[in-house]
Amino acid sequence: MARDAAEDFIRRFFTFGASLTGMAVLAEKPVGEIIGFAGLSPCGALGTDDFEIGFVLARRVSGRGIATEIGKAQLAFGFDQLKCSRLLGLVDPSNAPSIHALEKLGMRYLQTIADPRRGSRSVYVIEAGEWR
C-alpha cells in the first residue's frame, strides 16, 4: 500500500479517542512486536447497520490460533457490550485460512458480494442466539 493510501486507511478505520469500535494495532507480548491489527467496524454490506469482525495478521504468526482467539474476543465484545443482534465477517473467497478461522468461530457462509472498495467478498454471519 502506498503511504498516502495507508494513512487514509488508518484515519478511516482505526480507533482513536473514546470510540469502542474500529481497528487497533495488535502487539505480541512480552516484546510488543506488532503482528497485525483487528477490531469491529461498521459494515453496510447487507444493506443494514451491522458490524464486521476483522483481523489481519502477519504471516509469521499464522497457524498459532491467534485469529481464533481474537475472533472469540470480538464476538463476545460485539454481542455482550455492543448488544449486536448479529455480526459479519467479510473475506476474500480465496483466503482459505481466514475462512477456516470464521468457520471455527461458528460463523456460516451467507453470500458473496461485490464490494466496490475491496472486490469480491464472501459474507459470513453469526446471530447472537447462535453464539450463546
Side-chain angles (χ1 to χ4, degrees):
M1 198 181 279
R3 181 182 175 96
D4 290 345
E7 287 176 359
D8 179 60
F9 177 81
I10 290 169
R11 282 191 188 94
R12 285 191 356 229
F13 297 109
F14 274 63
T15 299
F16 294 99
S19 176
L20 297 177
T21 61
M23 293 291 169
V25 172
L26 295 171
E28 189 169 35
K29 293 180 180 180
V31 254
E33 182 180 359
I34 294 177
I35 59 169
F37 56 90
L40 288 170
S41 300
C43 180
L46 299 180
T48 57
D49 293 331
D50 289 304
F51 280 95
E52 172 189 358
I53 70 167
F55 45 83
V56 175
L57 299 171
R59 281 192 171 93
R60 70 182 181 281
V61 299
S62 66
R64 294 175 31 195
I66 296 171
T68 304
E69 181 180 342
I70 291 165
K72 286 178 182 177
Q74 291 175 326
L75 294 177
F77 184 77
F79 291 130
D80 290 339
Q81 301 296 314
L82 299 180
K83 305 298 183 203
C84 296
S85 61
R86 72 177 177 187
L87 291 167
L88 307 179
L90 276 62
V91 62
D92 182 319
S94 65
N95 187 339
S98 288
I99 290 169
H100 179 69
L102 294 177
E103 290 173 341
K104 279 178 63 176
L105 293 169
M107 301 185 86
R108 59 184 157 70
Y109 172 79
L110 184 65
Q111 67 187 64
T112 299
I113 62 166
D115 185 307
R117 292 180 316 210
R118 297 159 65 187
S120 179
R121 289 290 178 257
S122 294
V123 179
Y124 283 75
V125 64
I126 187 168
E127 307 283 338
E130 295 172 293
W131 176 73
R132 298 199 192 301

